[in-house]
Every structure is written in structure tokens, then in C-alpha cells.
Amino acid sequence: FTKSEARSWWASHVKDFVTNGVDGIWIDLNEPRVSETTMPDSIIHRGDPEYGGKQDHSHYHNVYGMLMARSTYEGMKLANDKKRPFILTRAGFVGSQRYAATWTGANRSNWEHLRKAEGFLYEDAGDGYEYLNGEYLLTTYVAKLQSSVVTIEVSKTEGSWERPKRRLNVILLICTGSVLDAWGIDGEIVQIKFPTLGGAA
């Protein structure tokens, strides 16, 4: 993806996918990942002059995923320039948000990871560009563990859309094959209480 010819080739195939009914594309392992790690720094990329030309992978590592996301975006636009592309990318760089949303990658279901990145839910019309005028709803949820109670609540919202009246089901995986869940109203506080030892509620 460091060469324009490669990006054009990829975009042409993405165009075919979209023309044949694909609505969105989820890009994974585009750091890029090779085996159990990233590409070795010794690999040489013959990149375009605007990105630095012939360089080893340490030069291109951070921008590689963004270039893949960009060529995916361009391919979707070739198929239908009236429809906003829906793309998820695992890797990115400064400017990636112009082409794709970033997903969290290989995060784990433990409290260390949960304490990090708040959770976000973004909603809009999906296909158009009305979000540029504020027609969307972005909700930030936080989860906190205090004693034996997990509290999930909204910490902030953005956008002009009103929150729909809907039920919210929160499911917490506590070990293999064992879950706790609770129902509530989206926008209100939802709590899940861990059972006490011995199984008593």
C-alpha cells in the first residue's frame, strides 16, 4: 500500500465488491501483522516519493494501515460516490479518521482493559453526510467496579439526535462459560452485582 499502483489495484477490487452488494468492509491485521508479530523492520518498501520512496519497514509501519484504509475508501467511492463508505480499520495514523473508523483490535475482557477506553456508540443515518451538520448521536459509556458492583452509565453525549427510548442489555463475561447480565434503560444507570461466595444473591 506504499505504492500508488498497489493502492489502485486494491481499490479496483473493493469497487467490484461494493458493486456486487458489499455494504461495508472491516480491515484486520493491517499493521501489517505477519505471523505473531508485525512485519520485520528489515523489509524494504519501494514507496511513492511523496511518502519517502525506498525505505525499510520502520519508516512505513505507522502509515501502512492508513494507506490501506484510504485505498479501501477510494474503492468504495468509485462504486458509489453518493454513499458514504463504511470501513473499520484496526491500524491507522494521523488522518485515518477521514477514511475509516478504528476498532480496538485485540483487547481483552479484563478490568485493566475495561478501565482504559471508555466505550463509544456512534449513531447516524448511515449513508448520507448529514452528520456534518450535527445530525448524529455519540454516546460515551463508562463502566466502574466498586466492591462487588459494576456500574455502567453515560458520561457524555454529542450530536443533535435525541436518544431513542430503548432497553439496554449489559452482559458481563466473568469466566469461561459464565456470564452476568442486567437490563436497564439506555441513558440511565445500569448495575450488575457479583454473587457472593456460596451462591447467595
Side-chain angles (χ1 to χ4, degrees), residues 6-173:
R7 295 193 299 274
S8 296
W9 176 86
W10 179 263
S12 70
H13 286 283
V14 169
K15 176 187 176 184
D16 291 342
F17 285 137
V18 175
T19 301
N20 286 294
V22 172
D23 288 322
I25 295 179
W26 183 353
I27 306 170
D28 193 7
L29 304 176
N30 57 329
E31 293 84 11
R33 190 174 176 90
V34 179
S35 233
E36 291 301 314
T37 185
T38 189
M39 188 175 283
D41 286 345
S42 59
I43 296 293
I44 299 297
H45 295 267
R46 291 173 174 83
D48 293 332
E50 62 186 294
Y51 297 116
K54 184 178 177 181
Q55 300 278 353
D56 65 25
H57 184 64
S58 64
H59 177 83
Y60 283 110
H61 176 79
N62 289 336
V63 78
Y64 190 93
M66 188 271 283
L67 292 173
M68 184 179 186
R70 190 181 86 175
S71 59
T72 305
Y73 177 92
E74 291 167 350
M76 295 189 79
K77 293 290 281 184
L78 286 173
N80 185 349
D81 65 357
K82 303 290 189 220
K83 184 174 181 179
R84 179 158 50 102
F86 178 76
I87 303 166
L88 295 177
T89 181
R90 175 163 134 163
F93 190 60
V94 175
S96 294
Q97 73 280 358
R98 291 176 290 179
Y99 312 115
T102 304
W103 65 291
T104 54
N107 59 313
R108 302 188 179 194
S109 56
N110 58 38
W111 285 108
E112 180 184 356
H113 279 208
L114 194 57
R115 276 192 294 270
K116 294 177 179 177
E118 301 164 322
F120 304 95
L121 176 62
Y122 177 82
E123 303 168 86
D124 69 12
D127 289 343
Y129 290 87
E130 295 83 2
Y131 74 97
L132 295 172
N133 298 319
E135 295 184 31
Y136 66 90
L137 176 63
L138 175 62
T139 305
T140 302
Y141 297 90
V142 293
K144 299 175 182 176
L145 174 64
Q146 294 179 320
S147 298
S148 61
V149 177
V150 179
T151 300
I152 300 95
E153 60 185 335
V154 172
S155 65
K156 63 181 177 180
T157 59
E158 296 178 19
S160 63
W161 275 20
E162 291 187 12
R163 182 176 309 284
K165 296 186 186 301
R166 59 190 171 193
R167 297 183 73 201
L168 187 67
N169 184 210
V170 179
I171 300 173
L172 182 64
L173 176 66

